[in-house]
Amino acid sequence: MSEETERARSGPGRDLTPLLAGAATAVGGFGAVLALVDSGSPLRGPFTLFFLLAAPAAAIAAALRGLEPFGRTVAAVAGAVVVNMLVAQGMLAVHRWSVRGGIVAVTAISALLLLLVLAGRLRGRDDAKAE
């Protein structure tokens, strides 16, 4: 590691990433809760939209770990839009459209994808230890 990269990592901004990730998780979770309880809050719409984009995007970004950051971001956001559209299309096709159902379906798909990625990484570690 060069001296320049060492200096770049040792600033006050290096601790900002976990804080921003925590804030994004809180905002997304709050948006999902507001939508599930059918709140009349003016924050419901923007926070729920943030959740619907951020939850699948985070799961897809975790699966695309090998890409460069910009490419991974673009692919994750595009994948999140695709997940949301497929959920909406599927719910409309079976005549079961509801806001709560959409939130639950997107949450389940995102959680399943994230769990599959984590299981794959753990299995990869076990295979590496066996060798």
Side-chain angles (χ1 to χ4, degrees):
M1 219 185 283
S2 71
E3 192 175 318
E4 230 174 89
T5 56
E6 192 66 34
R7 264 188 265 137
R9 287 186 180 177
S10 65
R14 70 182 171 92
D15 295 331
L16 199 57
T17 303
L19 178 67
L20 290 175
T25 303
V27 167
F30 190 60
V33 169
L34 285 176
L36 289 174
V37 299
D38 201 22
S39 171
S41 171
L43 297 176
R44 175 184 171 191
F47 284 9
T48 302
L49 179 63
F50 180 78
F51 172 77
L52 288 173
L53 287 174
I60 292 170
L64 301 175
R65 191 173 173 188
L67 291 179
E68 293 182 19
F70 181 72
R72 185 165 70 174
T73 302
V74 170
V77 170
V81 170
V82 168
V83 166
N84 287 312
M85 292 297 171
L86 287 174
V87 166
Q89 185 175 1
M91 291 177 75
L92 288 171
V94 297
H95 304 289
R96 297 288 183 206
W97 170 252
S98 74
V99 174
R100 289 182 182 144
I103 297 287
V104 170
V106 169
T107 303
I109 291 169
S110 300
L112 180 65
L113 182 60
L114 191 59
L115 287 174
L116 288 172
V117 169
L118 292 175
R121 286 188 188 159
L122 289 176
R123 186 177 41 221
R125 285 185 192 164
D126 292 342
D127 291 344
K129 286 181 183 177
E131 291 177 5

